Amino acid sequence: MNLTQPEVQLWAQQFENLNWSSDTKEVRVYPSAIYLASLASSMPGVGAQNFHAAPSGAFTGEVSLLQLQSIGVHSVLIGHSERRSIFQENDAIIAEKMQAALQQQMPVILCCGEALSVRETAGHISFVQEQLSSALAGIASEQTPFLTIAYEPIWAIGTGLNANAVQITEMHAAIRSLLLELFGNAGQDIPILYGGSVNAANAQEVFACPEVGGALVGGASLDPAIFYQLWENL
């Protein structure tokens, strides 16, 4: 929930002046909902931070997948830590959203991650794997090309704490192991992003970790120049 309309226009101008073309990398932008229509009409890869699983109806304040697709939205986030913690989206809601999005062949970034209290009890691996198992129940291997996973260590976002390479590698390996268990060989092709306060200072170390296929970038994306530095390091 950042940037006003004039600031978004400036951000978009700066973003579009940078060279994002690549045969091996993809960039997506997930702005506030009120800017989706204007940005989707002028740049590729625009996604929504949230949506409602129902196709239409009396859900005041919500937007549907069909509405998003009608304005050119490319993909959606599901299960972001703030949606889970602040807006009380439980596993059932997240699983319902997953089913709805993949039925519409809408690319998804599915977020997962643990709080500090979970990590301190050494239950972080099983906690994240259970989050993913719940969200991915009933998903077929043929649907995995629309799926990306993003690991968010909640304890390392805006807290001053940082996940180190060993911690990142451990969790991404555990996520890959689960994806292979659920989807067989198709699980190897599902990208796993890291989303724990990635910035210009730690990007190289993060991207060097095995199974890290990109980043879910928060505050660092508000400056297109810094965002581009992360792109170049990937």
Side-chain angles (χ1 to χ4, degrees):
M1 197 170 67
N2 289 292
L3 306 185
T4 62
Q5 177 65 27
E7 292 169 332
V8 168
Q9 289 178 329
L10 177 60
W11 186 96
Q13 291 171 2
Q14 294 172 339
F15 180 92
E16 291 169 357
N17 285 334
L18 298 166
N19 180 18
W20 301 94
S21 61
S22 172
D23 293 330
T24 59
K25 296 185 288 188
E26 177 187 7
V27 62
R28 299 182 188 176
V29 178
Y30 292 82
S32 297
I34 60 171
Y35 306 129
L36 285 171
S38 61
L39 292 180
S41 67
S42 62
M43 66 173 64
V46 172
Q49 297 176 11
N50 186 39
F51 68 98
H52 196 285
S56 61
F59 300 99
T60 299
E62 295 292 319
V63 295
S64 73
L65 286 167
L66 295 176
Q67 289 175 318
L68 293 173
Q69 289 174 322
S70 73
I71 61 170
V73 168
H74 172 272
S75 63
V76 289
L77 292 179
I78 297 178
H80 190 281
S81 60
E82 291 160 6
R83 298 301 311 176
R84 294 177 189 263
S85 62
I86 300 172
F87 301 102
Q88 306 302 305
E89 292 194 4
N90 58 28
D91 288 344
I93 291 172
I94 290 164
E96 185 181 18
K97 287 186 173 186
M98 283 294 302
Q99 290 286 347
L102 294 182
Q103 284 173 6
Q104 291 292 326
Q105 297 189 331
M106 175 72 95
V108 167
I109 295 181
L110 172 62
C111 303
C112 59
E114 82 285 5
L116 183 60
S117 59
V118 174
R119 179 163 283 270
E120 288 178 336
T121 63
H124 51 290
I125 297 293
S126 60
F127 181 87
V128 168
Q129 288 185 327
E130 287 170 9
Q131 279 187 329
L132 291 173
S133 294
S134 173
L136 297 173
I139 302 302
S141 58
E142 292 78 15
Q143 295 174 300
T144 58
F146 299 101
L147 177 63
T148 298
I149 305 297
Y151 168 56
E152 304 177 282
I154 301 170
W155 52 274
I157 301 174
T159 62
L161 300 174
N162 292 300
N164 60 41
V166 173
Q167 292 168 321
I168 296 170
T169 298
E170 176 194 45
M171 185 60 80
H172 278 243
I175 292 171
R176 180 65 70 200
S177 176
L178 177 68
L179 295 175
L180 291 170
E181 179 183 332
L182 293 175
F183 302 116
N185 291 337
Q188 188 61 53
D189 297 326
I190 300 171
I192 307 174
L193 313 181
Y194 177 72
S197 296
V198 181
N199 55 50
N202 63 18
Q204 285 188 327
E205 179 183 14
V206 170
F207 294 151
C209 295
E211 301 292 358
V212 173
L216 182 64
V217 184
S221 67
L222 296 177
D223 184 333
I226 294 176
F227 194 20
Y228 190 71
Q229 286 180 31
L230 303 184
W231 166 266
E232 290 187 307
N233 281 316
L234 182 59

